[in-house]
Amino acid sequence: MKNVIDTPFYREAFQELNYPFGDFYLFDHFIISEIKEDVVFTWEHHAKQVVNDISNLYENDGTDLIYISNRIHNYAVVPSDWLKFFRHNYNLKSYVVVAQVKNSLLERLFMGKKLKTFHDIENAIVWAKAKGCSQDYTQKISA
């Protein structure tokens, strides 16, 4: 599996957020996350901070954003924390999982038809760019 830094798309990211638990790459219409090895990703210790930071940068609730989880490392997500994400009124246009193994059954329960899976990051990025959205948020951020 390839890190987004090792793709030609990396230079298109307008911002990179680095946390002790993972890295997030922000593009015009999508976000790529790469959570670090052996992290147990929870709402309170990780996701809440990331969602708040990203919501402020994009100035929306994520409705027009595609979230790509590039699973280059082994880590765990607390399944019940998906409910906290939705209780806080955060939405996504689509949720993409990039992994060698198709293990997204539980996520499909929460995301339904919004969930897409890919085996490599480049195909996921091409798909996300094609899907796009109606507004260019980088103009808001750089203003």
Side-chain angles (χ1 to χ4, degrees), residues 48-101:
K48 186 177 181 180
Q49 178 184 3
V50 172
V51 167
N52 287 334
D53 291 348
I54 289 173
S55 294
N56 289 331
L57 287 169
Y58 282 98
E59 298 179 354
N60 76 36
D61 65 356
T63 303
D64 290 327
L65 292 175
I66 297 167
Y67 181 86
I68 301 174
S69 176
N70 190 23
R71 302 209 172 147
I72 57 174
H73 302 293
N74 290 319
Y75 66 94
V77 177
V78 175
S80 60
D81 281 2
W82 276 103
L83 298 173
K84 294 175 184 175
F85 180 85
F86 292 114
R87 270 190 238 141
H88 287 85
N89 294 320
Y90 297 110
N91 299 298
L92 292 171
K93 185 173 189 173
S94 292
Y95 178 71
V96 176
V97 174
V98 179
Q100 291 298 318
V101 194

Side-chain angles (χ1 to χ4, degrees), residues 11 42-43 51 60 62 68 90 108 138:
R11 64 179 171 264
T42 68
W43 173 259
V51 167
N60 76 36
I68 301 174
Y90 297 110
R108 189 163 302 285
T138 56

Side-chain angles (χ1 to χ4, degrees), residues 4 23-27 30-34 68 70 121 125:
V4 71
D23 301 311
F24 294 78
Y25 306 91
L26 284 56
F27 296 81
F30 59 94
I31 298 159
I32 299 174
S33 70
E34 294 178 345
I68 301 174
N70 190 23
I121 188 64
I125 292 171

Side-chain angles (χ1 to χ4, degrees), residues 33-51:
S33 70
E34 294 178 345
I35 305 302
K36 295 190 177 170
E37 188 77 26
D38 296 328
V39 168
V40 177
F41 196 78
T42 68
W43 173 259
E44 287 300 321
H45 294 108
H46 309 100
K48 186 177 181 180
Q49 178 184 3
V50 172
V51 167

